[in-house]
Amino acid sequence: MCGIVGYTGKEAAAPIILNGLSKLEYRGYDSAGMATFNEQTNGIEIVKTKGRLKNLVEKTDGGKGMPGGCGIGHTRWATHGVPSKANAHPHCSDDRMVVVVHNGIIENYQELKEHLLQKGYTFYSETDTEVVTKLIDYYYTETEHDPLKSMSSALLRVRGSYALGIMFMDRPGVIYAARKDSPLIIGQNEEGAFIASDVPAILSYTRNVYYLDNMEMAELSGEGIRFYTIDRDEIQKEMVTIKWDAEAAEKGGFEHFMMKEIHEQPKAVKDTIGAYVKDGDIDLSALGITDEQFREFRRIFIVACGSAYHVGMAAKYILEDLTDVLVEVDLASEFRYRNPKLTEDTLVVIISQSGETADSLAALRLTRERGIKTLSIVNVVGSSIAREADYVMYTLAGPEIAVATTKAYSTQLICMYLLSMYMAKVRDEMDSITFDSMMNELVQLPEKIANVLSDKERIQWFANKFASAKDIFFIGRGLDYAICQEGSLKMKEISYVHSEAYAAGELKHGTISLIEDGTLVVGLLTQSNLCEKTLSNMQEVKSRGAYLMGVTENGNYYLEDMVDFVVYIPKTDPHFTTSVAIVPLQLMGYYVSVARGLDVDKPRNLAKSVTVE
């Protein structure tokens, strides 16, 4: 959540900052602001606006109204204080000696604020960021204007998370940065240096970046970039080259990023399979886990949030069916508060698209503190979760811009399929005939996903009929229940239609009382051994006035006489149906949102990367 962009160099800073912030709009925000060093006045100018970035663009004439080659900008998603101009970033000390943009949450800001009030400071906003700004200012005075020493002194008193971009009025042309538990990257090209909270912000200027680690600081100036620990010891960092280009983060002719990314799923799935399948066999040597370790694991905890959690739910059914391993799936936000019983024969799998999800990162650290092995499944190379886990398995989804995940979810599923099959094979729990059959089906998934996309106009027609729906229910059993959870989330997060996912057998235990005439109930019927039971539950709600939509495999044409609308998907191995069946549900959520005239890519109140608890 929130976006940070900063630049210092030979070019005008403001247009670069505005362009970078526009690439981070997908992260969710409610206000925007920018500060630049004006060489004519030897002062720092600050402009802030409530609402969309276009307001800041108009107010600064596209950046032309804020001269200077050094500046920082921010798009804010409210945590402390309502969306307002006063609460927008950048924040500053009273004399603008210190100017700060900040992502994260300062947990002890009230305690720090009381300390500063006693020192004579006053406050104009409700934010924790203003508190940390003035804390740095306090130490800047105490240290006779030593930037690194003042930052170190202030940040060692801070509890919480932060990614900071800082300018000091008497340090023209220099930007300072610091990071703890909130992502921040440093970029460099021949003209200057950048800070940003995510790669797309600076990708049109450079592919060469440094990842700032926890409790590290950086100094960006015309003389180059220098890195320090929080104790001010200078360190060297390795430059990383971003391999995907700026075009990958553009819409490419689609009306919305979400629809573009839905259509990119066949390629993303194919690329992820190709990374780990060699000559018809699975090769997980890149993970660093030995076959002997795979044989020794007796329990797997899958820990994740949101859609990644739904991947974990699907993986539980698959892993427990293919192996004798006990699998538990935990919401990351609950995992570390329930005293999980972790033993030496346990592997904890952390799934996160961004690799920066705060709750998932905290769960990872708790696990490692207890000496338990961790495997991360992430999409962002060099992210915190990727770096801190014992082992990492990358998805090859490419940049995902829409807030509602689609292709990252699909590639995470692929990783869990591969992990499940490989474990079963090396543990001698799957024979070669079954393995070869599943491999044959796995490599056909990209084509089968593309096949579902070819029928999208029919799903659009149906979605338009239910654009005014107030409640939608998704029901299924086994793996179909896991699909329902993700389908329901897609519906509610971008269309704002209340939707729920239920294990079909639970309907009669209370939920069926919510069914009334015209209520849409979507039944997933891809598991042949459970179809009859789910269909029976669908008939129960139909008799109470529900309108039925069914998602099933090709050939189950008997459903035409039993439900009102049927979506057919290509047949595949029953363990892999989630990858194919989720696509019509993604399209349903998308088309309902479009029909309701909503902002598909930036749904209200949501952020792409949840980097605070």
Side-chain angles (χ1 to χ4, degrees), residues 353-413:
Q353 186 280 137
S354 68
E356 302 291 350
T357 311
D359 288 313
S360 299
L361 184 56
L364 168 65
R365 289 171 177 166
L366 169 68
T367 304
R368 294 205 67 195
E369 285 172 7
R370 296 193 182 184
I372 305 302
K373 294 298 184 183
T374 56
L375 166 66
S376 64
I377 295 178
V378 297
N379 192 46
V380 179
V381 176
S383 57
S384 296
I385 292 174
R387 292 198 309 273
E388 295 189 28
D390 295 296
Y391 316 107
V392 60
M393 188 175 190
Y394 285 111
T395 57
L396 276 72
E400 187 177 68
I401 305 302
V403 168
T405 183
T406 51
K407 60 177 181 172
Y409 168 87
S410 291
T411 53
Q412 289 165 359
L413 281 173

Side-chain angles (χ1 to χ4, degrees), residues 132-367:
V132 78
T133 301
K134 291 182 174 176
L135 185 65
I136 294 171
D137 178 73
Y138 169 74
Y139 284 110
Y140 200 53
T141 302
E142 290 289 303
T143 61
E144 299 180 348
H145 290 206
D146 184 323
L148 292 175
K149 195 171 182 180
S150 63
M151 290 166 59
S152 174
S153 299
L155 297 177
L156 286 171
R157 293 196 61 178
V158 164
R159 293 196 308 272
S161 60
Y162 54 80
L164 298 170
I166 307 168
M167 295 169 63
F168 297 92
M169 188 187 295
D170 57 358
R171 292 289 193 278
V174 184
I175 295 175
Y176 293 86
R179 185 236 165 159
K180 178 179 179 290
D181 293 341
S182 195
L184 196 65
I185 61 171
I186 311 293
Q188 188 173 29
N189 64 15
E190 293 181 357
E191 304 300 321
F194 309 79
I195 64 170
S197 50
D198 205 354
V199 171
I202 61 174
L203 197 55
S204 57
Y205 303 103
T206 182
R207 295 190 188 184
N208 299 320
V209 303
Y210 301 91
Y211 289 95
L212 208 58
D213 285 316
N214 262 359
M215 307 296 281
E216 289 183 352
M217 305 184 294
E219 179 186 77
L220 293 70
S221 70
E223 298 178 359
I225 303 171
R226 302 173 74 176
F227 299 97
Y228 303 88
T229 68
I230 197 69
D231 295 318
R232 295 178 290 129
D233 295 325
E234 188 166 0
I235 55 176
Q236 301 299 314
K237 296 192 72 67
E238 183 179 349
M239 180 182 285
V240 176
T241 301
I242 303 299
K243 295 182 180 178
W244 46 272
D245 56 30
E247 291 183 6
E250 300 297 334
K251 290 181 184 176
F254 288 90
E255 185 177 357
H256 299 99
F257 279 113
M258 183 177 178
M259 181 55 89
K260 173 178 178 278
E261 289 159 7
I262 287 173
H263 280 78
E264 286 175 342
Q265 287 178 117
K267 181 181 185 302
V269 166
K270 183 177 181 180
D271 289 347
T272 303
I273 293 172
Y276 302 106
V277 173
K278 314 293 182 185
D279 300 321
D281 200 2
I282 299 173
D283 179 4
L284 299 185
S285 58
L287 276 62
I289 307 178
T290 67
D291 289 354
E292 185 58 35
Q293 286 175 301
F294 274 123
R295 283 189 281 268
E296 290 175 352
F297 292 132
R298 291 290 174 264
R299 302 175 75 200
I300 291 179
F301 281 78
I302 302 173
V303 183
C305 303
S307 294
Y309 172 78
H310 300 154
V311 170
M313 290 297 295
K316 174 181 171 69
Y317 288 107
I318 298 166
L319 271 164
E320 291 191 337
D321 189 51
L322 297 181
T323 73
D324 66 357
V325 175
L326 175 65
V327 181
E328 294 192 37
V329 186
D330 272 81
L331 290 165
S333 56
E334 293 294 320
F335 178 77
R336 61 192 176 117
Y337 297 118
R338 73 170 184 85
N339 191 22
K341 306 306 178 187
L342 303 174
T343 55
E344 290 184 358
D345 59 358
T346 298
L347 174 68
V348 176
V349 180
I350 309 287
I351 308 176
S352 168
Q353 186 280 137
S354 68
E356 302 291 350
T357 311
D359 288 313
S360 299
L361 184 56
L364 168 65
R365 289 171 177 166
L366 169 68
T367 304

Side-chain angles (χ1 to χ4, degrees), residues 574-612:
H575 299 91
F576 303 151
T577 57
T578 309
S579 290
V580 187
I582 192 56
V583 178
L585 303 188
Q586 293 170 342
L587 291 168
M588 270 285 291
Y590 172 83
Y591 283 126
V592 170
S593 180
V594 170
R596 291 164 71 94
L598 302 174
D599 192 340
V600 176
D601 289 333
K602 298 186 284 289
R604 66 189 182 199
N605 303 330
L606 297 181
K608 180 65 176 174
S609 179
V610 183
T611 56
V612 296

